[in-house]
Amino acid sequence: MPILGAIADDVTGATDLAAMLVNAGARTVQLLGVPPADAESPDADAVVVSLKSRTAPVAWAVTDSLASLDRLLGWDARTIYFKVCSTFDSTDRGNIGPVADALREALGTRLVPVCPAFPANGRTVYQGHLFVGTALLNESGMENHPLTPMRDANLVRVLGRQTRERVGLVPFATVERGVEAVRAALAALENDSVAYAILDSVSDAQLATLGEAIADYRLMVGGSGLALGLPAAWRRRGWLSARGDAARLPHVPGRAAILAGSCSRTTLAQVAQARACFASFALDPLAHPDADALAAAAIDWSDRQAAEPTLLIYASASPERVAEVQAVLGRDRAGEIIEQAFATIAEALVARGVRRLIVAGGETSGAVVSRLGLARLVIGPTIDPGVPWTFAPERDLLLALKSGNFGTTDFFTKALTMLEARP
Ligand code: ADP
């Protein structure tokens, strides 16, 4: 029976939370999409369901979240965690408020702690105001986000516009005074009929305080940071054993492949570094402006590399080259052709015995995971912040899904070396 059942509003956010929990000692499984009604309870301390509900229509986000809640409650999850972005990505219409309201009502709870702080990544909350680094949220660039422009840094107000319930604050000074002070402040807010308490937090030490103070609440809303102190609190309550390595994955022998579909600056540097180490092949969407033909060229090439332990296949290209491709194929069509080609390539490589797969790019990862039909990822050790190795039991496959901007320049070699170093 999982201690924590989380509902995450996007896939990479779910992985981020799952990695946080594993690093704090909780065995964690990530489920992709709403679990089917007859799905068995995963054998883990924490289960993170990843949805695609951050910018979905409100009704859809609520429906998927409630269906996920139903599964998590069916598995007797003790604590429900609604995972949102650490920049609180939402609009006045939702989706954080409406989803939280629906979960709160379904659970019949009164006060819900809310905190997106993630100090290690520069997200702090002070007097209810969210900062990104040294800038207020609404001066951090997030005010220009194409889908969820954040034009107000005051989370009491932001959440207040998304719910009819009352929103209050547990300020910095209270959090500094420690666990009992936070508990008393939460109890006072609850007595005052406040439904949501924004929690200030500017450091990991404060997150540890919050973890202990809120561990008995039935529902909480946070970024991945709010989970930092929870496993320690569970251990103190005897819910989580002090068992060894939560990040242990099975040893899976086999060839490795790297598929890079991100054109971010970070990924371009990572691809350049990896090209010097591994046999590599560049997809040419202008020569093959069709997903099947584009994939076939790469698969033909890979069939001629039987002696190579690791293959690198990439579409990653400079902004100039991407603009050229988009001018001919159109932006969306180019993206779709390349994503589908990568999905086909991944399927072919796994069929040919690749058992260690690294995918760079959020959308690219989504296409690959859905083509491979994966429903479940067991979370393993972190390669770089936010990117763990995972194990997909359905395919007996080790998988690392990296969003474009994550990881150091030597990410690909580092990730593979990490596996070699394991027993
Ligand atoms: P990131 O995580 O960096 O945003 P994504 O995989 O989410 O990476 O997005 C990258 C998008 O760019 C994908 O749709 C991918 O198919 C597309 N793409 C990759 N290479 C090229 C290229 N050479 N020309 C045009 N589009 C490309």
Side-chain angles (χ1 to χ4, degrees):
M1 142 181 153
I3 303 163
L4 184 116
I7 300 165
D9 67 357
D10 86 338
V11 179
T12 43
T15 310
D16 185 10
L17 171 63
M20 173 70 79
L21 288 161
V22 165
N23 292 334
R27 290 173 311 127
T28 304
V29 167
Q30 179 176 346
L31 303 178
L32 304 158
V34 179
D38 58 354
E40 267 180 40
S41 173
D43 173 28
D45 303 314
V47 178
V48 182
V49 175
S50 41
L51 301 179
K52 216 172 179 315
S53 57
R54 183 171 297 165
T55 55
V58 175
W60 174 1
V62 167
T63 304
D64 278 2
S65 303
L66 287 177
S68 305
L69 175 68
D70 192 57
R71 298 310 111 78
L72 294 169
L73 293 181
W75 298 331
D76 288 332
R78 197 190 281 259
T79 302
I80 301 298
Y81 193 108
F82 174 29
K83 159 72 175 68
V84 301
C85 188
S86 63
T87 41
F88 217 71
D89 296 15
S90 53
T91 69
D92 288 351
R93 298 183 46 227
N95 291 343
I96 297 176
V99 169
D101 282 348
L103 296 174
R104 177 175 171 273
E105 193 180 326
L107 288 165
T109 53
R110 292 181 62 196
L111 186 81
V112 180
V114 179
C115 181
F118 190 3
N121 271 0
R123 274 67 158 158
T124 54
V125 182
Y126 180 67
Q127 312 298 10
H129 288 69
L130 179 54
F131 288 80
V132 178
T134 56
L136 277 164
L137 177 66
N138 57 311
E139 297 169 4
S140 69
M142 279 303 295
E143 68 276 23
N144 300 318
H145 191 285
L147 303 175
T148 51
M150 301 303 291
R151 303 211 167 104
D152 186 356
N154 183 325
L155 298 180
V156 176
R157 280 196 306 245
V158 171
L159 185 56
R161 285 192 290 266
Q162 298 179 31
T163 172
R164 268 194 231 116
E165 307 295 336
R166 297 186 62 198
V167 183
L169 173 69
V170 178
F172 173 86
T174 305
V175 180
E176 269 302 273
R177 290 212 307 278
V179 173
E180 288 314 319
V182 173
R183 283 197 183 128
L186 290 171
L189 288 172
E190 184 167 338
N191 270 339
D192 225 8
S193 303
V194 167
Y196 297 103
I198 303 288
L199 312 176
D200 272 0
S201 180
V202 303
S203 66
D204 285 358
Q206 290 192 330
L207 286 175
T209 299
L210 295 180
E212 178 59 33
I214 67 169
D216 298 305
Y217 278 77
R218 190 82 168 105
L219 173 64
M220 52 195 71
V221 178
S224 56
L226 187 61
L228 181 141
L230 289 176
W234 300 338
R235 240 176 249 119
R236 285 189 286 268
R237 284 161 178 74
W239 301 348
L240 179 66
S241 65
R243 158 183 54 214
D245 186 6
R248 192 173 305 140
L249 293 183
H251 177 67
V252 187
R255 296 175 79 198
I258 301 160
L259 305 181
S262 162
C263 298
S264 71
R265 217 178 284 170
T266 306
T267 300
L268 288 173
Q270 291 162 339
V271 167
Q273 191 265 352
R275 279 181 58 199
C277 309
F278 308 122
S280 64
F281 183 84
L283 294 184
D284 184 350
L286 289 182
H288 305 285
D290 164 271
D292 288 341
L294 192 56
I299 295 165
D300 280 352
W301 170 81
S302 73
D303 283 342
R304 283 181 269 114
Q305 313 298 318
E308 296 290 340
T310 303
L311 304 177
L312 164 65
I313 299 174
Y314 61 97
S316 316
S318 65
E320 299 73 35
R321 175 69 181 160
V322 170
E324 221 180 298
V325 170
Q326 290 179 338
V328 177
L329 299 176
R331 190 185 60 183
D332 292 348
R333 189 159 156 254
E336 182 65 14
I337 288 173
I338 296 166
E339 286 166 32
Q340 288 312 312
F342 273 125
T344 304
I345 293 166
E347 205 172 28
L349 292 178
V350 170
R352 286 161 170 75
V354 163
R355 285 291 170 275
R356 296 149 178 218
L357 188 62
I358 303 176
V359 188
E363 296 298 327
T364 310
S365 296
V368 167
V369 162
S370 101
R371 181 70 66 84
L372 292 177
L374 305 181
R376 192 154 70 96
L377 299 177
V378 180
I379 306 298
T382 292
I383 306 160
D384 268 327
V387 200
W389 269 112
T390 71
F391 174 62
E394 291 116 325
R395 295 281 194 149
D396 194 27
L397 179 70
L398 292 169
L399 191 62
L401 306 174
K402 186 190 85 70
S403 79
N405 269 318
F406 282 12
T408 54
T409 299
D410 62 348
F411 177 86
F412 297 132
T413 44
K414 179 165 52 179
L416 293 171
T417 308
M418 234 172 114
L419 294 182
E420 295 313 323
R422 295 169 68 78

